[in-house]
């Protein structure tokens, strides 16, 4: 059953883990910052939903997975895709709409997909991917596997019918699916208390008789400890879970809403930035002596080089030919 527990920082942090987690969060942050630059220059078209501020959720959660486990996300999925192991060059090429992108330039920002790392896509319709995650969990059980599925979604998906349908199915059929709600408090631009009668999202697990838990989504170690426990349980017992990761996006909903200034104050954003997940882990690593200032500088340089390489790769990739309009199209 659900329990009113908020995960506390795990005391276990060694140098290898610290560098790995910090490197992944820094890569996502710099990638998103560069994507915003490229959008402003007109090199990325369509919609662009940045993950800046929420990096601890994707990195902490996916750090508990095996390579053969699955992840699926909504349209704010660049961070999840990178954390699952996708090549930053091919992710950037997809944002550019180029042939060497993950979806051959036809998906763009909201529809990344990478079977090579079992990332089952970003999905543009709010809540629509939650039943897909249940389907992946059903397939795992049907085939007798022991993989798990992480399904990331925002608080704006909770009022949708798909959320409740999926929760009911994974509970009823005991599917190894962990639903992770990245509660950034504003969905597209509406404060959570104006959209949900029950604002403690983890409590919806009580209705379906499964494990529910809240965690500090700005603390990568807390997320890792929390998700690690439910992943182990799901793998062993085929039991689902609902995790509410309380996080905050530093940018607006999309590049069409760059700051979110209509529905939140500048003071609030600056206050939340005091709990930047990258800064929190850096401070913890330095304090514990598992990171040095030289380590941090090296990580920053490596990340900057990787993102610059990704942009160069994307710019060098050719435009998809017109014939691609008729490929990868399936008809029943």
């Amino acid at each position: 059953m659900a329990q009113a527990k908020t995960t506390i920082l795990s005391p276990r942090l060694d140098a290898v883990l610290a560098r790995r987690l910090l490197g992944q969060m820094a890569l996502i942050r710099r990638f998103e910052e560069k994507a915003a630059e490229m959008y402003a220059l007109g090199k990325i078209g369509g919609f662009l939903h940045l993950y800046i501020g929420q990096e601890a959720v994707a990195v902490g959660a996916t750090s508990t997975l095996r390579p053969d486990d699955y992840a699926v996300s909504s349209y704010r999925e660049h961070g999840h895709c990178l954390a699952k192991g996708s090549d930053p060059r091919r992710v950037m090429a997809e944002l550019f709409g180029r042939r060497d992108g993950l979806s051959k330039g036809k998906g763009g920002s909201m529809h990344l997909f990478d079977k090579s790392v079992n990332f089952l896509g970003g999905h543009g319709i709010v809540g629509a991917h939650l039943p897909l995650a249940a389907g992946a969990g059903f397939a795992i059980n049907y085939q007798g596997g022991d993989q798990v599925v992480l399904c990331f979604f925002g608080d704006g998906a909770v009022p949708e019918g798909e959320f409740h349908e999926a929760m009911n199915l994974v509970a009823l059929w005991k599917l190894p699916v962990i639903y992770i709600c990245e509660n950034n408090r504003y969905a597209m631009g509406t404060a959570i208390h104006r959209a949900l009668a029950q604002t403690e999202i983890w409590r919806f697990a009580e209705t379906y008789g499964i494990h529910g838990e809240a965690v500090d989504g700005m603390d990568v170690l807390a997320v890792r400890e929390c998700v690690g426990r439910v992943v182990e349980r799901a793998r062993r017992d085929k039991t689902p879970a609902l995790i509410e990761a309380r996080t905050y996006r530093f940018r607006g909903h999309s590049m069409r809403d760059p700051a979110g200034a209509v529905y939140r104050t500048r003071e609030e954003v600056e206050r939340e930035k005091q709990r930047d997940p990258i800064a929190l882990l850096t401070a913890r690593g330095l304090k514990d002596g598992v990171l040095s200032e030289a380590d941090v500088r090296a990580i920053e340089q490596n990340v900057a080089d990787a993102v610059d390489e990704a942009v160069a790769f994307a710019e060098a990739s050719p435009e998809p030919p017109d014939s691609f309009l008729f490929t990868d199209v399936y008809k029943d």
Side-chain angles (χ1 to χ4, degrees), residues 308-328:
D308 287 344
E309 182 183 355
V311 171
F313 178 86
E315 291 185 319
S317 178
E319 299 274 353
D322 292 344
S323 62
F324 272 29
L325 291 171
F326 304 100
T327 60
D328 306 311

Side-chain angles (χ1 to χ4, degrees), residues 25-325:
M25 287 200 294
L27 172 63
I28 295 169
R29 176 69 59 86
R30 185 62 190 129
F31 185 96
E32 296 291 68
E33 291 171 344
K34 182 62 72 172
E37 293 176 28
M38 295 299 102
Y39 187 93
L41 292 173
K43 296 185 178 183
I44 296 174
F47 292 99
L48 188 70
H49 303 85
L50 301 178
Y51 198 61
I52 294 173
Q54 299 183 205
E55 297 90 351
V57 183
V59 171
T62 57
S63 73
T64 69
L65 298 182
R66 300 188 321 218
D68 62 336
D69 291 325
Y70 297 90
V72 59
S73 183
S74 64
Y75 47 78
R76 196 182 304 279
E77 87 280 34
H78 308 164
H80 309 103
C81 191
L82 290 169
K84 194 64 172 71
S86 290
D87 185 342
R89 299 175 304 170
R90 296 195 64 206
V91 178
M92 188 66 78
E94 187 59 40
L95 302 191
F96 274 55
R98 301 300 176 89
R99 189 163 64 184
D100 295 313
L102 288 177
S103 302
K104 301 178 184 178
K106 298 191 290 183
S109 169
M110 295 196 291
H111 301 102
L112 301 175
F113 186 96
D114 192 352
K115 179 60 177 69
S116 70
V117 297
N118 281 355
F119 181 71
L120 301 183
H123 298 268
I125 304 300
V126 175
H129 63 296
L130 276 72
L132 300 182
F138 182 88
I140 290 169
N141 282 4
Y142 186 79
Q143 295 171 343
D146 69 340
Q147 302 101 312
V148 300
V149 183
L150 295 188
C151 180
F152 299 90
F153 61 100
D155 51 290
V158 176
E160 297 289 331
E162 294 94 337
F163 169 78
H164 300 278
E165 292 168 353
M167 290 282 288
N168 183 63
L169 286 178
V170 297
L172 184 64
W173 293 340
K174 301 188 186 312
L175 304 180
V177 182
I178 293 101
Y179 286 108
I180 301 177
C181 178
E182 299 187 79
N183 178 9
N184 60 35
R185 296 169 17 203
Y186 289 103
M188 183 174 179
T190 301
I192 187 171
H193 68 272
R194 298 179 60 200
L196 288 177
Q198 172 55 271
T199 58
E200 292 188 276
I201 292 170
W202 69 270
R203 288 189 178 276
F204 285 102
E206 295 176 330
T207 302
Y208 302 100
I210 66 174
H211 179 84
E213 190 170 333
V215 65
D216 182 355
M218 304 301 277
D219 191 322
V220 67
L221 295 176
V223 174
R224 174 178 163 84
E225 195 275 334
C226 169
V227 176
R229 282 188 286 99
V230 295
V231 162
E232 181 181 0
R233 184 185 301 117
R235 201 183 302 285
R236 182 186 65 240
D237 301 331
K238 304 296 183 186
T239 53
L242 172 64
I243 303 300
E244 178 191 351
R246 294 170 178 170
T247 185
Y248 197 87
R249 63 171 189 250
F250 295 162
R251 301 290 185 95
H253 172 69
S254 72
M255 286 299 290
R256 294 177 182 271
D257 167 36
V262 173
Y263 48 85
R264 60 186 189 178
T265 65
R266 180 179 299 178
E267 290 75 20
E268 177 184 298
V269 175
E270 291 305 313
R271 183 172 64 250
E272 294 295 336
K273 285 183 178 180
Q274 299 305 306
R275 301 201 68 246
D276 185 313
I278 295 175
L280 287 178
L281 181 63
T282 300
R284 170 74 183 272
L286 293 172
K287 178 182 177 182
D288 289 0
V290 296
L291 286 175
S292 67
E293 295 287 356
D295 291 330
V296 175
R297 288 194 297 271
I299 289 170
E300 291 173 346
Q301 186 61 57
N302 290 339
V303 163
D305 291 344
V307 173
D308 287 344
E309 182 183 355
V311 171
F313 178 86
E315 291 185 319
S317 178
E319 299 274 353
D322 292 344
S323 62
F324 272 29
L325 291 171

